Amino acid sequence: MTGFNTKLIHGQNINDNQTGAVNVPVYTSSTYAYPDINGKVRWDYSRSGNPTREYLEKQIAQLEHGTNGFAFASGMAAIHAAFSIFKDGDHVLIGDQIYGGTYRLINDYFQSRGLTFTSVNTQNLEEVEAAIQPNTKAIYFEPVTNPLLHVTSVRAIAEIAKKHDILTIVDNTFLTPYLQQPLDLGADIVVHSATKYLGGHSDVIAGLVVTKNEELGKQIYFIQNALGGVLSPENANLVRRGIQTLSVRMDRQQENACKLIDFLNSREEVATIHYPGVEGSHDHEVAAEECDGFGGVFSFELADDVDATEFVNSLQLIRLAVSLGAVESLAELPYEMSHAELPVAERLAAGITPQLIRISVGIEDAEDLIGDLKQALASATRRQNIHVLKRSLA
Ligand SMILES: Cc1ncc(COP(=O)(O)O)c(C=O)c1O
């Protein structure tokens, strides 16, 4: 069995041959009986191991081409586990545009427990290499950043990491193993917010870790079992099921993203579009080289004379919400929502302007999504004209 799509459906054996079930059962039992005091058991307690969770863990390890997979109660719990392999006095490099929750975890939690870090622009390889210190143990980054979709070469970063004998840890939430397999490009650990594309339906919070080798697998397993932030069997089942349709969903999401971008490109209310699929940028070159697609998220800036708040408030089909990667299309205004905690100067320095809109494209009919964008643009322009008129009358 070699095809990615076949692996999505049939990659793992079902553990329950007595019933012929074609899906792994949801094993809710917290504990498992020993045949006798000397008997060896495969499972003893569900924090340490659960057959439904294990199915998902093997599924993601196989798709990411790793040795071991681990499922956690959230993406943040998975990232916490990955960082927990480091010790007091260790130093890590982190991408300067990583998810805000990850930054908070490192800056406000791990730092007070003895870990130091330097945040670097991972597109600038000289800056990355220059920031490595004798106690640096890893580089952590997102190959495609949010919300500006900047792309970093996993291969180039992993080469630097190898040269200095440090680990490369990649958050592959945006691309998923369907579009990129970071371990094949030289990374050592992959983490996911499975809440996004892998779950795919906005109905589960989950996180995953995959390691390149057994040794790292042992370290993550120790943390998973010791700290205990495991994914429930019910939610493991939802992510398992989501993964089976990953490629068909992402194909449609990418197709829709291109149609929406074509439409927005033709509109004078739109100033700039950020999407690695748009040719002519460094981001496009790297993505075309290392990814099998450009993903289902893009962002764009409205022209100064278009009211961005009115635009997002006017959307009817596309829901105004954080998160991404699910079957329904979502829009957000990063300046006011996901990045509102950053001081204004930092937001602007990072390119997060009040006019920036991020869209996570769903699997609806593209024509309906375009119709929604069209009417929201009309409404936002009308509103802005009223502002201008009021100002000129005042
Ligand atoms: C890239 C990325 N990594 C990690 C996380 C955290 O995952 P979770 O919300 O599942 O804890 C998020 C959440 O938005 C994310 O976007």
Side-chain angles (χ1 to χ4, degrees), residues 74-76 79 99 102 142 171 173-174 193-196 205-206 324:
S74 67
M76 288 320 305
I79 295 166
Y99 171 62
T102 309
E142 296 169 16
D171 181 332
T173 300
F174 264 58
S193 169
T195 310
K196 312 296 184 322
I205 297 280
L324 57 104

Side-chain angles (χ1 to χ4, degrees), residues 22-335:
V22 300
N23 287 309
V24 65
V26 179
Y27 285 96
T28 57
S29 194
S30 58
T31 193
Y32 302 82
Y34 285 60
D36 57 60
I37 191 66
N38 296 318
K40 283 215 161 43
V41 286
R42 169 66 188 87
W43 312 101
D44 67 345
Y45 187 59
S46 268
R47 169 164 43 73
S48 311
N50 170 281
T52 313
R53 193 175 86 225
E54 189 191 83
Y55 184 95
L56 168 65
E57 293 176 331
K58 287 188 165 167
Q59 197 181 21
I60 192 65
Q62 180 181 41
L63 297 173
E64 287 284 12
H65 298 167
T67 55
N68 303 71
F70 302 92
F72 293 88
S74 67
M76 288 320 305
I79 295 166
H80 174 251
F83 273 92
S84 298
I85 66 176
F86 304 116
K87 297 189 182 60
D88 187 5
D90 287 349
H91 173 254
V92 288
L93 299 183
I94 59 168
D96 62 1
Q97 288 181 38
I98 56 173
Y99 171 62
T102 309
Y103 183 80
R104 179 175 51 201
L105 174 74
I106 298 163
N107 191 43
D108 299 345
Y109 179 82
F110 278 109
Q111 198 169 224
S112 64
R113 284 157 181 81
L115 204 67
T116 55
F117 72 93
T118 305
S119 119
V120 288
N121 172 1
T122 48
Q123 287 189 321
N124 182 340
L125 301 178
E126 282 168 19
E127 182 183 329
V128 170
E129 193 151 19
I132 296 175
Q133 304 173 9
N135 59 341
T136 304
K137 293 290 186 287
I139 306 179
Y140 174 96
F141 67 103
E142 296 169 16
V144 177
T145 64
N146 179 33
L148 291 170
L149 292 302
H150 290 150
V151 184
T152 288
S153 163
V154 176
R155 202 191 296 278
I157 295 287
E159 266 171 29
I160 295 176
K162 281 203 174 60
K163 196 166 119 194
H164 293 270
D165 202 19
I166 63 180
L167 297 175
T168 302
I169 308 178
V170 170
D171 181 332
N172 198 23
T173 300
F174 264 58
L175 291 171
T176 83
Y178 182 47
L179 302 183
Q180 185 173 72
Q181 287 142 353
L183 300 182
D184 289 350
L185 296 168
D188 301 284
I189 298 178
V190 167
V191 299
H192 280 281
S193 169
T195 310
K196 312 296 184 322
Y197 284 105
L198 298 177
H201 295 76
S202 297
D203 58 3
V204 61
I205 297 280
L208 298 167
V209 177
V210 180
T211 60
K212 190 187 184 85
N213 58 48
E214 298 281 350
E215 177 43 41
L216 287 169
K218 270 190 206 144
Q219 294 180 42
I220 301 288
Y221 178 72
F222 171 79
I223 292 152
Q224 186 191 42
N225 189 38
L227 299 185
V230 294
L231 189 62
S232 71
E234 291 86 351
N235 284 344
N237 183 53
L238 285 179
V239 179
R240 169 206 69 75
R241 186 171 64 166
I243 285 176
Q244 288 185 310
T245 56
L246 175 67
S247 58
V248 285
R249 283 185 284 109
M250 285 197 98
D251 284 347
R252 172 74 71 81
Q253 284 159 327
Q254 295 189 103
E255 198 182 302
N256 279 356
C258 291
K259 290 182 181 165
L260 266 54
I261 288 169
D262 277 350
F263 164 73
L264 291 169
N265 241 332
S266 70
R267 300 290 300 222
E268 60 185 19
E269 299 95 328
V270 175
T272 327
I273 295 179
H274 306 280
Y275 184 62
V278 176
E279 287 180 21
S281 66
H282 173 71
D283 295 320
H284 176 74
E285 270 173 40
V286 178
E289 181 70 29
E290 297 192 1
C291 309
D292 293 323
F294 304 108
V297 175
F298 71 91
S299 59
F300 62 99
E301 274 154 66
L302 288 168
D304 288 343
D305 59 354
V306 184
D307 186 326
T309 308
E310 181 66 17
F311 175 80
V312 290
N313 283 343
S314 303
L315 290 168
Q316 287 167 7
L317 189 60
I318 303 174
R319 309 293 296 276
L320 181 59
V322 294
S323 201
L324 57 104
V327 289
E328 71 281 340
S329 294
L330 300 176
E332 73 131 346
L333 200 56
Y335 189 85

